[in-house]
Amino acid sequence: AQSVAQPEDQVNVAEGNPLTVKCTYSVSGNPYLFWYVQYPNRGLQFLLKYITGDNLVKGSYGFEAEFNKSQTSFHLKKPSALVSDSALYFCAVRDNGKAAGNKLTFGGGTRVLVKP
Amino acid sequence: DTEVTQTPKHLVMGMTNKKSLKCEQHMGHRAMYWYKQKAKKPPELMFVYSYEKLSINESVPSRFSPECPNSSLLNLHLHALQPEDSALYLCASSQPRQGPTQYFGPGTRLTVL
């Protein structure tokens, strides 16, 4: 079974400071990993994904994530946070085996609050 | 264009009502999904349609009935819902041949009285 953990319910950061949102995962095979962001009363917006290749993945709005196979982690980062980055962030995983079908498993979410 | 649209945006219904949620995408995606999301919680998968056929039903109660009339449309028919079914219902789509990324619609906020 696949699972995702986001150990922090909330991350507070000052505007202009680096932002990190943590994610660890567990899958039986090789993982497909995703980050989504959700603004209040909105759907999930795709930020970036890791399928294969370079461990550093660059995504939308200046976000990037680093895949670390030995630590089974996929932390989301942004060098300089903006107040507008305040939102709920979800990490998700899918096993790349055929048995997984199209099923994504989401972490519990991390609320990011960027203060001016 | 990675747009998934959902109607209505908000829906209030009584426990005896019958209503439907609609989802549409014109990206040529052949997999479509229904998720249920409670406040401050992650989305929970309900149903998956792959090439217009139901491929995953996550043991969802029969008061929720999905329908995929064609490759662009996905409906969720609601009947005899309970107040605990109040949630944000999200639709998503993906193109299996282009990778596993799912693209989400804005959701329908459902309130059951």
Side-chain angles (χ1 to χ4, degrees), chain A residues 32 34 36 38 40-46 49 51 88 90 94 100-109 111, chain B residues 31 33 35 37 40-43 45 48 50 55-56 58 88 90 94 98 100-107 109:
Chain A
Y32 293 147
F34 305 85
Y36 288 87
Q38 186 175 32
N41 299 312
R42 300 287 295 277
L44 273 67
Q45 187 172 334
F46 170 70
K49 66 183 177 188
I51 302 296
L88 185 58
F90 290 103
R94 206 203 88 180
N102 294 325
K103 186 174 180 178
L104 280 181
T105 298
F106 287 88
R111 184 164 302 279
Chain B
Y33 312 76
Y35 288 87
Q37 186 182 26
K40 300 181 181 181
K41 297 294 185 180
L45 183 65
V48 180
S50 182
S55 61
I56 296 177
E58 291 288 282
L88 181 67
L90 295 165
S94 69
Q98 295 176 2
T101 304
Q102 295 182 22
Y103 296 94
F104 286 79
R109 175 72 61 188

Side-chain angles (χ1 to χ4, degrees), chain A residues 2 11 15-16 22 25 28 44 52 58 64-65 69 75 77-78 81 83 88-89 93 95-96 101 106 113 116:
Chain A
Q2 53 196 33
V11 170
E15 187 175 32
K22 295 180 180 178
Y25 66 90
S28 56
L44 273 67
T52 187
K58 294 189 181 297
E64 58 187 28
K69 187 173 183 178
H75 301 329
K77 299 181 180 182
K78 186 171 184 179
V83 173
L88 185 58
Y89 290 78
V93 68
D95 193 311
N96 72 355
F106 287 88
L113 180 60

Side-chain angles (χ1 to χ4, degrees), chain A:
Chain A
Q2 53 196 33
S3 65
V4 180
Q6 293 180 242
E8 300 158 315
D9 290 335
Q10 182 160 325
V11 170
N12 298 317
V13 63
E15 187 175 32
N17 282 1
L19 169 64
T20 299
V21 186
K22 295 180 180 178
C23 172
T24 58
Y25 66 90
S26 174
V27 295
S28 56
N30 291 319
Y32 293 147
L33 293 157
F34 305 85
W35 276 102
Y36 288 87
V37 60
Q38 186 175 32
Y39 297 97
N41 299 312
R42 300 287 295 277
L44 273 67
Q45 187 172 334
F46 170 70
L47 281 178
L48 52 79
K49 66 183 177 188
Y50 173 83
I51 302 296
T52 187
D54 194 348
N55 290 343
L56 184 62
V57 179
K58 294 189 181 297
S60 306
Y61 313 117
F63 284 94
E64 58 187 28
E66 186 169 9
F67 170 65
N68 187 317
K69 187 173 183 178
S70 62
Q71 297 185 3
T72 61
S73 67
F74 190 56
H75 301 329
L76 181 70
K77 299 181 180 182
K78 186 171 184 179
S80 178
L82 301 173
V83 173
S84 57
D85 294 328
S86 299
L88 185 58
Y89 290 78
F90 290 103
C91 182
V93 68
R94 206 203 88 180
D95 193 311
N96 72 355
K98 290 185 177 180
N102 294 325
K103 186 174 180 178
L104 280 181
T105 298
F106 287 88
T110 299
R111 184 164 302 279
V112 170
L113 180 60
V114 182
K115 297 182 178 180

Side-chain angles (χ1 to χ4, degrees), chain B residues 25-43:
Chain B
Q25 57 86 15
H26 293 289
M27 297 178 281
H29 289 178
R30 302 305 299 274
M32 297 186 75
Y33 312 76
W34 280 115
Y35 288 87
K36 174 183 178 181
Q37 186 182 26
K38 291 283 202 179
K40 300 181 181 181
K41 297 294 185 180

Side-chain angles (χ1 to χ4, degrees), chain B residues 15-83:
Chain B
M15 290 189 287
T16 59
N17 292 157
K18 288 185 178 180
K19 297 287 184 182
S20 296
L21 309 184
K22 296 188 177 183
C23 174
E24 189 168 5
Q25 57 86 15
H26 293 289
M27 297 178 281
H29 289 178
R30 302 305 299 274
M32 297 186 75
Y33 312 76
W34 280 115
Y35 288 87
K36 174 183 178 181
Q37 186 182 26
K38 291 283 202 179
K40 300 181 181 181
K41 297 294 185 180
E44 300 173 9
L45 183 65
M46 300 175 71
F47 302 104
V48 180
Y49 274 83
S50 182
Y51 295 90
E52 295 89 68
K53 293 184 178 180
L54 184 65
S55 61
I56 296 177
N57 177 341
E58 291 288 282
S59 302
V60 178
S62 60
R63 58 185 183 269
F64 295 91
S65 176
E67 178 195 20
C68 190
N70 59 57
S71 60
S72 300
L73 293 174
L74 185 66
N75 298 321
L76 186 62
H77 303 297
L78 313 173
H79 174 56
L81 295 193
Q82 303 297 311

